């Protein structure tokens, strides 16, 4: 495909007959999973700190090299519990360029997420900006290791120490990654992983908090079980954050295939890099290969002047071909409710976040995507960029056409 007329936006059949997703779950050895599930059914022990959850926690803590792993029902509840157990109050500094759960986990407990700008090179919190956001009400900082690329941890730790703030990390993307040779999961007061189905390592739904802090670990394991310490004795406010046995069975099975998942992700990352090398205005975000990294997101940055197409126009081209590229984390937490109403002027202090939200898109990877599919996806991108003026005109006119159809449909409905 090199001629623009071969693209689906010009009426040709889509390049893929079936939709190609970002975040298709990786599935390890089915036999092992089904054996575990059968065993669970036979034993009639489904939840409440069962044997698979205990085994999963022990293996994960060893894997990361920390003393405690507290498995939870999902990453969001794990964040909420960690935030409460740390005693965060007032204001907490977070990036706006993150999944909405980071902000919601605070606001859910009436703690104000204070959105801080990111460094355009790392896509993570800019430590210089963090300093500027601190007020007398600030109790902590939550760094997010976006795409699995670690925050500038040393710098954030220094700020937290100097300003007497708590520091924790939303490490939802960063299982299997390292910072200066040490595993993510071992920094700050604690770190939170997500094992949602769309993560390269999944437990269907799930999450965990990892920490080396004895008191914090005990508090979080009580809080995830309503605050019960033994039968009939509740000593904290708590919730239900427990991981089920079936999720832990999936986690143990995923752990067995961890290396294979990474090898596949790395192969895909390199294939995208090779295939898109030299395409004007389109760059594949790189990972620091001196560190351990999971390569789970293929992130494309689109420079609309050089590419001749905006990120959104390129996404439209791919959608027409059945490639479900995503605009994570568009439009930024600060532009979503309730934060948009709470902080109407946030856009003014988040220029880098605003700009990144306009240029980033995420492409499919994982075990469901092979090199032939990647080649086709990249060919679509190359064709679109090399025929940018015609492609842009077509995308704009089909949008206009849909708009007109929609408004005339509305008019006739109203008239009728
Ligand atoms: N912090 C950060 C930085 C996070 O990224 C997340 C979660 C969290 C905290 C919270 O952790 P959890 O509470 O979720 O454990 C997805 C996930 O739902 C979310 O877990 C994830 N981040 C976020 C980045 O992505 P959506 O809105 O993209 O999900 P959805 O349903 O559109 O699915 C994405 C694609 O994956 C679709 O094309 C379909 C495909 N898919 C999805 C599922 C669930 C499948 O093929 N199979 C599936 O089972 O949020």
């Amino acid at each position: 495909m090199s001629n623009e007329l071969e693209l689906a936006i010009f009426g040709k059949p889509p390049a893929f007959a079936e939709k190609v997703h970002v975040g298709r779950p990786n599935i390890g050895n089915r036999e092992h999973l089904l054996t575990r599930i059968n065993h669970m059914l036979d034993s009639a022990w489904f939840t409440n700190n069962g044997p698979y959850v205990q085994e999963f926690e022990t293996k994960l803590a060893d894997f990361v090299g920390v003393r405690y792993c507290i498995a939870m029902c999902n990453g969001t509840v794990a964040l909420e519990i960690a935030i409460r157990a740390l005693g965060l109050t007032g204001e907490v500094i977070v990036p706006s360029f993150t999944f909405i759960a980071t902000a919601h986990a605070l606001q859910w407990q009436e703690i104000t997420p204070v959105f801080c700008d990111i460094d355009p090179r790392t896509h993570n919190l800019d430590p210089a900006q963090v300093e500027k956001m601190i007020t007398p009400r600030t109790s902590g900082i939550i760094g997010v290791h976006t795409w699995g690329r670690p925050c500038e941890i040393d710098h954030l730790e220094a700020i937290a120490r100097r300003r007497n703030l708590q520091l924790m990390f939303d490490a939802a993307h960063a299982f299997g990654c390292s910072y200066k040779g040490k595993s993510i999961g071992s920094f700050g007061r604690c770190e939170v992983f997500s094992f949602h189905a769309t993560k390269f390592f999944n437990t269907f739904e799930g999450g965990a908090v990892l920490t080396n802090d004895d008191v914090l670990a005990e508090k979080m394991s009580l809080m995830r079980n309503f605050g019960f310490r033994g039968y009939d004795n509740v000593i904290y406010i708590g919730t239900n954050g427990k991981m089920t046995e079936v999720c832990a069975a999936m986690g143990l099975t995923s752990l067995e295939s961890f290396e294979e998942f990474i090898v596949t992700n790395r192969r895909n990352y390199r294939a995208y890099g090779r295939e898109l090398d030299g395409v004007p205005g389109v760059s594949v975000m790189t990972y620091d290969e001196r560190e351990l990294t999971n390569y789970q997101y293929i992130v494309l940055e689109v420079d609309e002047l050089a590419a001749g197409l905006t990120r959104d126009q390129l996404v439209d081209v791919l959608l027409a071909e059945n490639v479900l590229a995503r605009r994570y984390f568009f439009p930024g937490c600060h532009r979503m409710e309730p934060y948009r109403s709470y902080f109407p002027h946030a856009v003014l202090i988040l220029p880098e976040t605003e700009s990144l939200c306009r240029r980033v898109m995420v492409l499919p990877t994982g075990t469901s995507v092979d090199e032939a599919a990647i080649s086709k996806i990249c060919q679509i991108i190359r064709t679109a960029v090399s025929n940018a003026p015609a492609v842009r005109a077509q995308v704009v006119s089909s949008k206009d056409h849909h708009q007109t159809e929609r408004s005339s449909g509305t008019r006739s409905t109203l008239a009728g």
Side-chain angles (χ1 to χ4, degrees):
M1 185 196 288
S2 56
N3 181 327
E4 82 273 13
L5 295 176
E6 291 167 46
L7 291 169
I9 50 161
F10 290 100
K12 286 281 167 198
F16 293 89
E18 306 276 329
K19 294 191 186 324
V20 187
H21 294 267
V22 165
R24 209 69 172 153
N26 288 330
I27 303 163
N29 185 313
R30 277 173 199 244
E31 288 305 314
H32 290 188
L33 175 64
L34 294 175
T35 304
R36 287 190 169 104
I37 293 176
N38 273 327
H39 191 266
M40 178 199 81
L41 294 173
D42 291 342
S43 73
W45 195 275
F46 296 167
T47 186
N48 285 11
N49 205 24
Y52 286 148
V53 165
Q54 291 181 32
E55 185 185 345
F56 183 59
E57 290 182 332
T58 306
K59 288 198 163 145
L60 231 57
D62 284 353
F63 187 85
V64 173
V66 297
R67 298 197 17 226
Y68 303 102
C69 167
I70 298 108
M72 307 264 187
C73 55
N74 59 54
T76 306
V77 168
L79 279 169
E80 287 168 6
I81 289 178
I83 287 164
R84 191 175 276 269
L86 274 182
L88 298 183
T89 56
E91 296 175 358
V92 171
I93 297 171
V94 289
S96 174
F97 190 74
T98 179
F99 189 59
I100 197 70
T102 321
H104 278 354
L106 290 161
Q107 191 64 52
W108 192 253
Q109 328 191 46
E110 301 194 359
I111 300 165
T112 306
V114 172
F115 297 121
C116 177
D117 214 0
I118 41 119
D119 180 334
R121 290 166 309 133
T122 63
H123 301 184
N124 287 327
L125 276 180
D126 177 349
Q129 296 300 321
V130 169
E131 290 265 17
K132 293 186 191 157
M133 308 307 288
I134 298 172
T135 73
R137 297 190 68 228
T138 309
S139 62
I141 303 167
I142 302 181
V144 181
H145 306 305
T146 312
W147 318 127
R149 300 196 308 177
C151 293
E152 290 182 53
I153 297 177
D154 285 348
H155 213 137
L156 293 176
E157 277 178 345
I159 296 172
R161 241 188 335 268
R162 191 159 19 86
R163 306 297 293 262
N164 199 22
L165 300 173
Q166 304 278 5
L167 175 66
M168 61 172 273
F169 293 97
D170 176 339
H173 300 181
F175 185 64
C177 301
S178 70
Y179 174 75
K180 297 193 174 172
K182 201 173 151 200
S183 288
I184 295 295
S186 53
F187 294 96
R189 295 287 311 280
C190 62
E191 300 209 61
V192 175
F193 290 125
S194 162
F195 306 129
H196 182 257
T198 53
K199 299 290 184 278
F200 87 103
F201 174 96
N202 84 87
T203 61
F204 303 136
E205 284 272 5
V209 190
L210 282 87
T211 184
N212 281 312
D213 184 319
D214 310 332
V215 178
L216 192 61
E218 201 205 357
K219 207 165 177 179
M220 290 190 293
S221 41
L222 296 177
M223 280 181 166
R224 90 174 150 181
N225 186 28
F226 313 101
F228 271 110
R229 176 181 272 157
Y231 283 120
D232 309 327
N233 182 28
V234 170
I235 64 160
Y236 289 123
I237 181 162
T239 184
N240 183 352
K242 290 168 286 161
M243 178 178 270
T244 62
E245 285 291 276
V246 75
C247 290
M250 182 63 168
L252 289 167
T253 310
S254 296
L255 205 52
E256 291 165 356
S257 296
F258 174 84
E259 284 302 333
E260 178 202 324
F261 296 158
I262 300 257
V263 167
T264 306
N265 285 351
R266 189 195 298 123
R267 178 204 69 193
N268 291 352
Y269 163 70
R270 291 190 177 153
Y272 273 112
R274 252 190 338 267
E275 298 258 1
L276 292 174
D277 190 31
V279 180
V282 168
S283 52
V284 178
M285 187 201 76
T286 55
Y287 291 96
D288 180 353
E289 303 214 31
R290 293 165 305 179
E291 296 287 351
L292 294 173
T293 172
N294 58 34
Y295 306 91
Q296 74 173 313
Y297 292 100
I298 301 294
V299 181
L300 224 60
E301 291 189 52
V302 182
D303 171 346
E304 63 178 86
L305 285 180
L309 293 173
T310 63
R311 181 274 316 270
D312 287 356
Q313 288 163 347
L314 204 49
V315 168
D316 284 343
V317 169
L318 289 164
L319 292 181
E321 306 287 353
N322 271 336
V323 179
L324 304 192
R326 296 293 297 262
R327 304 184 296 177
Y328 293 140
F329 295 100
F330 183 80
C333 296
H334 64 289
R335 283 184 179 267
M336 298 194 194
E337 293 297 356
Y339 314 107
R340 186 172 52 187
S341 301
Y342 291 169
F343 316 115
H345 304 301
V347 287
L348 301 175
I349 53 164
L350 300 169
E352 298 299 349
T353 305
E354 286 275 302
S355 161
L356 191 63
C357 284
R358 280 195 298 271
R359 62 175 196 270
V360 156
M361 73 163 92
V362 175
L363 294 173
T365 185
T367 51
S368 65
V369 182
D370 60 17
E371 285 189 89
I374 293 172
S375 215
K376 243 190 212 179
I377 294 169
C378 295
Q379 183 63 47
I380 295 164
I381 295 172
R382 279 202 301 272
T383 304
V385 172
S386 54
N387 297 283
V391 168
R392 196 174 52 238
Q394 181 67 8
V395 171
V396 170
S397 88
S398 78
K399 283 241 144 115
D400 287 350
H401 179 68
H402 283 125
Q403 192 68 39
T404 316
E405 267 190 344
R406 258 203 307 274
S407 41
S408 61
T410 317
R411 263 202 305 280
S412 57
T413 317
L414 288 175

